[in-house]
């Protein structure tokens, strides 16, 4: 596959020996790539910096990819055909060929450009090479940097421009503007060999390994294309030259080797495409050794001379096949023979065209065919197409004189401006005078616009025009060519004196009516078609034809020129297009060429056409060198002064820019501070608003809390009043119960006294009934104790709940704390009031108990007195009856002993219970410091003591009455029963009082809890 500068893309079928035009892009191709995943598709990079994908079968556009800002000079396709890397001087981009979307982009610094980025064969590694000789390896999927090759040694350091990698991706070959060739081992990441090419090689243009089917990808043969257009194939292990293709006459521009290594395709300097067979080139190398047995044959009839079998062998070089050499020699000899047969040698052109025939064709049709015009011009001008010489001029870069060309000539097309700069710079590097020629851009612009896709042809056309049609233009430099203008004026004076006199009358010189046409080569006054038609005739005739065209243009325009009287009108006329037929002008030129006398004819003063020399361009020095040198020196001095001025101005501008930047930064800082201050004020206002909202919410919450507290206080007050009323009702009920109890006791006492008259047989029943009553009372006491324990547990839980409630209340705010303190004070006051009420009630109860105790004490004293009296009387009765009633006495003594033991146990139980109740009562009333405490305790202990003393006296009296007489036995038994009933009543009263005290003690914490 191949593409040309006109955008035509061809597919060559080597086996079928044919080619096919598959696409017309209408733009110059800068890079091609095929062998994609879909074999019928290929990628092409165009001059508008875009990449297009076409299908060779359907010839349709598959995708159009954009993203580069400069020309793409390399396309590398992954081994799988799925990815592609396009490289320009400023960036490299990775594309997904399935979706035609850009995956990644490699950006670089402005100071370092990209030299080449490509995939390593049969791997996922990307190698990026930059113009500072740095080489990096990247992972394709993650773009992770795998390694960087070290810098080459300084002794053989070269600027790498071309690269090649073996099929197995192990060896990298790099070269540049040097005869040295570096070989890198990518596995060891080091430089392992430096190969020096022959002395003829000064620079390396292209490198490519020659594949071999039997080397497993470790290619050993490397093709090296040098600056002389010869591609040499060397063995990188033995460093021997194997063979070479191309020659100095037919140099190679670029070359590519087929993947299987059978063919080599090369683009030659003359534009042709040559296909070489590697098998034929390596036939001499790979031929088998000569046989050991040789046969002697007879000589043939036609003997060959010894000179025909001789071959010139040079050291370290393999000769080309003899067939191509002989055919080339025969072709040259045949051409020489044909040239000798022509009489008019100057009319024969290099491409087989005849100048006389072309002139006849031109006079018949007025112009050359558009399709073949460029080809005819190249033949007429005999362009040598010196690619090497032109490349050396291009490599010198843009000339200083044309760096700011766009300021003076603002051209919309950047490409056209770039081509114009390069063409003018090449002319300035060719001859120094062209860097100071002010009209050179005007002279070259129409040719640049016409040949913008082929800069070599453009340069050589302009150079040929300057050498032949601009003869003697620079003898009066920097002034216009006075001698040339004088020739034009003489011819105009001969053919149209009236017009010349009109010019002289209005002070219009040849610098106004002739020089503007010459310096722009009529591009300002003619259209494109008219200009091309004119230069068809100019290039086909003597160089004086251009000067005659100036005279013809004036004579054909004499009518409007004679009507012009102002200098501005003349200037406008010769700088703008006019209503003039170019065919009339061309016929007038031919008429002037034929009718002008020889003494004033420019043909006698101008030389014949001289073509550019082949190989190197001729030296152009037809100008006053001292003036040019002086102007060059002065311009250099002015340029240096201007550079100094620009440098100082740049310094001042930098300082001003720094000051402006500082001022802008200060203003930005102040603005930022102002914004921050405003933001802070806004935030502060927002905070104040939020705080006001929070304060209002707190106020509403406090009001709600106050309302709740007020309601709670009302509820607590109502509960306290209800509880006090309940307590008061309970106390009233207790008082009524006590009154009823007293009345009942009085009634029971009367009943008991009445029942003492019963006989002894009923005593046993009464004792049994009394026993059951004691058991029932014991169970009640147990229930009372259990109830007291439960009440104590409930009181403890209420106390714990109260403590927890008080703990949670402590973490409230100061306002709630004050309310709590007030509440506690009120509760304490209520407790104190309740304590006073309880104390009054207890005092009343104790007073009643004391009165009862005093009454009982008086009864006890009376009973004791009676007992003492009866004791004295019964002693004698008892002593008399003891003998008689021994058995009964022993029985009675046993019963008395059992009764005494039961009474002692009951007394001990009553004493322990009394001590326990007294201890609990003292703990419950610790907070009460009423002075009646001791008296209450004394009254509480006194009945018990009295009862104990009474019991003791009763027991002693009973023991003494045992010896009494039988007569007073019934009376004593009656007294014992009454005393026992009184003791039981006292014990019952004492238990009731203790129960009431315990109940009051439990009710007091309940009041605190409410």
């Amino acid at each position: 596959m191949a593409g040309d500068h006109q955008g035509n893309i061809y597919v060559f079928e080597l086996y079928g020996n044919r080619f096919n035009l598959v696409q017309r892009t209408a733009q110059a191709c800068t890079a091609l790539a095929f062998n994609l995943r879909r074999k019928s598709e290929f990628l092409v990079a165009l001059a508008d910096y875009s990449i297009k994908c076409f299908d060779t079968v359907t010839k349709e556009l598959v995708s159009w990819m954009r993203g580069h800002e400069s020309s793409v000079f390399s396309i590398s396709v992954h081994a799988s055909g799925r990815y592609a890397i396009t490289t320009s001087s400023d960036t490299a981009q990775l594309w997904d060929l399935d979706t035609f979307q850009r995956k990644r982009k490699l950006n670089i610094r402005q100071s370092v450009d990209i030299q080449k980025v490509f995939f390593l064969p049969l791997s996922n590694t990307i190698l990026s090479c930059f113009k500072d000789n740095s080489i990096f390896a990247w992972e394709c999927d993650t773009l992770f940097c795998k390694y960087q090759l070290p810098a080459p040694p300084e002794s053989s350091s070269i600027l790498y421009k071309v690269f090649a990698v073996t099929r197995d991706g192990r060896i990298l070959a790099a070269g540049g503007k040097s005869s040295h060739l570096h070989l890198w081992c990518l596995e060891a990441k080091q430089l392992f060999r430096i190969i020096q090419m022959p002395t003829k090689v000064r620079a390396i243009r292209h490198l490519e390994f020659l594949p071999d089917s039997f080397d497993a990808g470790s290619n050993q043969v490397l093709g090296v294309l040098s600056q002389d257009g010869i591609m040499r194939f060397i063995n990188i292990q033995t460093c021997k030259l194997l063979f070479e293709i191309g020659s100095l006459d037919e140099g190679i521009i670029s070359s590519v080797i087929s993947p299987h290594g059978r063919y080599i395709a090369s683009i030659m300097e003359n534009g042709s495409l040559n296909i070489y067979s590697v098998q034929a080139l390596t036939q001499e190398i790979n031929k088998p050794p000569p046989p050991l047995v040789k046969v002697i044959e007879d000589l043939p009839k036609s003997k060959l001379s010894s000179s025909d079998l001789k071959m010139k062998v040079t050291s370290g070089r393999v000769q080309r096949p003899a067939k191509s050499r002989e055919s080339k020699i025969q072709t040259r000899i045949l051409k020489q023979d044909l040239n000798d047969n022509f009489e008019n040698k100057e009319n024969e052109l290099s491409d087989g065209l005849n100048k006389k025939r072309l002139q006849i064709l031109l006079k018949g049709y007025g112009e050359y065919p558009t399709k073949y015009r460029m080809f005819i011009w190249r033949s007429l001008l005999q362009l040598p197409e010196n690619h090497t010489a032109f490349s050396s001029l291009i490599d010198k870069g843009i000339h200083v004189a044309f760096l700011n060309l766009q300021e003076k000539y603002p051209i919309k097309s950047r490409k056209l401006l770039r081509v114009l700069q390069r063409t003018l710079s090449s002319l300035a590097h060719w001859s120094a005078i062209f860097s100071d020629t002010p009209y050179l851009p005007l002279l070259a612009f129409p040719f640049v616009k016409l040949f913008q896709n082929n800069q070599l042809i453009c340069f050589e056309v302009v150079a040929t025009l300057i050498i032949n049609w601009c003869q003697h233009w620079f003898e009066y430099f920097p002034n216009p060519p006075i001698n040339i203008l004088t020739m034009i004026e003489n011819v105009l004076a001969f053919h149209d004196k009236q017009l010349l006199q009109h010019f002289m009358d209005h002070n219009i010189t040849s610098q106004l009516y002739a020089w503007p046409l010459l310096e722009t080569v009529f591009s300002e006054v003619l259209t494109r078609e008219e200009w091309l038609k004119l230069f068809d005739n100019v290039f086909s005739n003597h160089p004086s034809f251009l000067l005659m065209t100036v005279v013809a243009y004036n004579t054909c325009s004499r009518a409007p020129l004679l009507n012009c009287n102002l200098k501005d009108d003349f200037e406008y006329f010769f700088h703008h297009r006019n209503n003039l037929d170019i065919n009339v002008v061309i016929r007038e030129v031919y008429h002037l060429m034929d009718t002008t006398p020889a003494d004033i004819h420019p043909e006698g003063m101008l030389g014949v056409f001289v073509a550019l020399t082949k190989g190197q361009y001729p030296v152009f020095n037809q100008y006053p060198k001292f003036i040019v040198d002086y102007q060059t020196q002065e311009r250099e001095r002015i340029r240096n002064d201007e550079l100094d001025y620009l440098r100082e101005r740049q310094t001042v501008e930098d300082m001003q820019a720094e000051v402006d930047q500082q001022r802008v930064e200060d203003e930005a800082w102040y603005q930022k501070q102002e914004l921050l201050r405003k933001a802070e004020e806004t935030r502060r206002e927002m905070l104040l608003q939020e705080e006001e909202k929070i304060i209002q919410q707190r106020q509403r919450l406090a009001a709600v809390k106050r309302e709740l507290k007020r309601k709670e206080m009302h509820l607590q007050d109502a509960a306290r009043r209800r509880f006090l009323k309940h307590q008061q009702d309970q106390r009233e009920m207790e008082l009524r119960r006590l009154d009823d109890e007293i009345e009942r006791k009085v009634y029971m006492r009367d009943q008991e006294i009445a029942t003492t008259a019963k006989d002894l047989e009923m005593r046993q029943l009464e004792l049994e009934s009394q026993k059951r009553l004691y058991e029932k009372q014991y169970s009640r006491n147990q229930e009372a104790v259990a109830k007291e324990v439960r009440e104590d547990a409930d009181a403890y839980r209420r106390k714990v709940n109260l403590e927890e409630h008080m703990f949670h209340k402590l973490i409230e705010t100061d306002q709630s704390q004050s309310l709590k303190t007030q509440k506690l004070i009120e509760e304490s006051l209520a407790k104190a009031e309740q304590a006073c009420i309880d104390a009054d009630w207890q005092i009343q109860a104790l007073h009643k108990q004391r009165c009862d105790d005093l009454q009982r004490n008086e009864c006890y004293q009376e009973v004791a007195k009676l007992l003492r009296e009866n004791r004295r009387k019964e002693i004698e009765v008892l002593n008399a009856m003891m003998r008689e009633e021994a058995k009964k006495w022993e029985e009675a003594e046993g019963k008395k002993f059992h009764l005494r033991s039961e009474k002692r146990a009951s007394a001990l139980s009553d004493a322990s219970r009394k001590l326990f109740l007294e201890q609990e009562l003292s703990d419950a009333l610790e907070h009460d410091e009423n002075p009646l405490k001791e008296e209450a305790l004394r009254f509480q202990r006194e009945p018990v003591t009295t009862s104990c003393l009474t019991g003791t006296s009763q027991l002693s009296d009973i023991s003494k009455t045992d010896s009494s007489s039988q007569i007073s036995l019934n009376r004593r038994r009656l007294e014992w029963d009454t005393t026992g009933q009184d003791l039981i009543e006292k014990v019952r009263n004492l238990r009731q009082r203790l129960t009431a005290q315990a109940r009051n003690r439990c009710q007091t914490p309940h009041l605190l809890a409410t």
Side-chain angles (χ1 to χ4, degrees), residues 63 106 133 155 316 362 438 478 597 761 780 951 984:
S63 179
L106 174 62
N133 277 11
S155 59
L362 181 62
E761 289 81 9
R780 290 179 180 176
I984 292 171

Side-chain angles (χ1 to χ4, degrees), residues 409-449:
Y409 300 99
I411 301 175
K412 185 177 181 180
S413 175
R414 294 179 58 187
K415 177 184 177 182
L416 188 61
L417 176 64
R418 212 163 37 243
V419 175
L420 180 62
Q421 276 185 323
R422 291 175 182 175
T423 305
L424 297 178
S425 300
S426 301
L427 292 172
H429 293 311
W430 175 42
S431 181
I433 190 173
F434 296 128
S435 62
D436 299 325
T437 305
Y439 56 86
L440 185 63
L442 301 176
L443 180 70
F445 180 74
F447 299 98
V448 170
K449 192 172 182 180

Side-chain angles (χ1 to χ4, degrees), residues 442-443 446-447 465 516-523 531 535 546:
L442 301 176
L443 180 70
F447 299 98
L465 177 71
L517 301 177
L518 290 176
E519 65 179 359
T520 61
V521 288
F522 294 90
S523 61
W531 188 84
F535 270 85
L546 183 62

Side-chain angles (χ1 to χ4, degrees), residues 768-779:
E768 292 294 330
S769 176
Q770 188 176 1
K771 181 180 179 182
R772 287 192 297 271
L773 182 62
Y774 284 159
E775 291 177 355
K776 183 179 181 181
Q777 189 66 32
Y778 178 75
S779 63

Side-chain angles (χ1 to χ4, degrees), residues 544-703:
S544 60
F545 190 88
L546 183 62
L547 304 182
M548 290 297 187
T549 305
V550 176
V551 179
Y553 188 85
N554 282 271
T555 55
C556 292
S557 304
R558 66 189 310 275
L561 289 174
L562 291 175
N563 293 327
C564 293
N565 297 321
L566 299 177
K567 186 176 181 180
D568 294 339
D569 296 339
F570 288 102
E571 291 180 354
Y572 183 85
F573 183 86
F574 289 106
H575 285 88
H576 293 81
R577 296 176 183 174
N578 301 291
N579 188 13
L580 188 63
D581 188 1
I582 191 64
N583 296 319
V584 176
V585 175
I586 293 173
R587 287 197 297 270
E588 182 65 21
V589 173
Y590 282 109
H591 175 71
L592 295 176
M593 291 286 290
D594 295 337
T595 59
T596 301
D599 55 344
I600 60 173
H601 200 293
E603 186 176 1
M605 303 175 188
L606 300 178
V608 297
F609 174 80
V610 177
L612 296 177
T613 57
K614 194 168 186 178
Q616 295 293 333
Y617 295 116
V619 177
F620 185 82
N621 54 3
Q622 300 176 6
Y623 58 89
K625 189 175 182 182
F626 66 94
I627 295 178
V628 175
D629 293 341
Y630 175 74
Q631 285 189 351
T632 303
Q633 293 175 1
E634 286 296 317
R635 188 172 289 103
E636 187 67 24
R637 183 182 62 79
I638 294 172
R639 185 178 292 109
N640 293 332
D641 294 341
E642 185 178 1
L643 290 176
D644 294 338
Y645 166 73
L646 292 175
R647 195 179 297 109
E648 293 178 357
R649 189 176 70 178
Q650 184 65 29
T651 304
V652 174
E653 290 178 354
D654 293 341
M655 294 175 64
Q656 184 65 30
E658 290 180 359
V659 173
D660 295 340
Q661 182 68 22
Q662 186 65 29
R663 185 173 66 256
V664 170
E665 290 179 357
D666 293 342
E667 292 179 356
W669 185 81
Y670 284 123
Q671 291 178 359
K672 187 176 181 181
Q673 294 298 321
E674 183 67 21
L675 292 175
L676 290 175
R677 186 183 62 79
K678 292 181 179 179
E680 185 178 0
E681 291 179 356
T682 305
R683 300 296 189 280
R684 189 177 290 108
E685 291 178 358
M686 292 174 64
L687 288 176
L688 291 176
Q689 293 177 1
E690 292 296 329
E691 287 179 358
E692 290 179 356
K693 291 180 180 179
I694 292 173
I695 291 172
Q696 293 177 1
Q697 292 178 358
R698 287 179 177 175
Q699 290 177 355
R700 289 194 296 270
L701 183 60

